[in-house]
Amino acid sequence: MKIVDLDRDTIKQGLADNALLLIDVREPHEFESGHIPGAVPHPLSSFDTGALAELIANDARKPVFSCASGVRSVHALAAAQQAGLPIEAHYRGGFKDWLGAGEPVE
């Protein structure tokens, strides 16, 4: 399995440049309580590789997983790669790092 760890600055720049598709794999209630602006929800508990494949096929941006702290996003990477999807990157610190740094939240 290939894992590319991205830090907050890389995520911020990728979102600002519209180069990253940030896929939040936290649970719906977590996402609704607050998420990184521009992130799209795709909960790990109901992980659908077909829907995920369609999402990334229809978006030219680089897909990157995010979760609360970087654990579930690695599990999502494993599931995606096992399904043959070309996703290798995740936000190492996740939402906790983002929030803790005082970054904006939706």
Side-chain angles (χ1 to χ4, degrees):
M1 180 170 86
K2 181 162 183 180
I3 300 173
V4 177
D5 294 327
L6 301 180
D7 62 15
R8 182 180 351 98
D9 289 336
T10 304
I11 297 295
K12 280 177 62 173
Q13 190 62 53
L15 290 171
D17 295 343
N18 205 29
L20 295 182
L21 170 61
L22 192 62
I23 304 166
D24 192 323
V25 299
R26 296 176 302 148
E27 293 306 303
H29 71 276
E30 293 174 288
F31 187 84
E32 291 165 13
S33 293
H35 57 272
I36 297 170
V40 297
H42 194 86
L44 187 59
S45 64
S46 57
F47 204 70
D48 179 343
T49 56
L52 183 60
E54 187 175 327
L55 174 67
I56 64 172
N58 293 321
D59 197 307
R61 298 174 290 174
K62 177 182 177 176
V64 176
F65 287 129
S66 178
C67 65
S69 63
V71 175
R72 284 178 280 181
S73 56
V74 170
H75 291 293
L77 284 174
Q81 289 177 21
Q82 196 167 28
L85 298 175
I87 306 175
E88 300 176 341
H90 82 122
Y91 179 6
R92 180 182 62 227
F95 187 71
K96 288 181 180 178
D97 176 67
W98 186 269
L99 187 63
E103 299 292 347
V105 173
E106 289 184 339

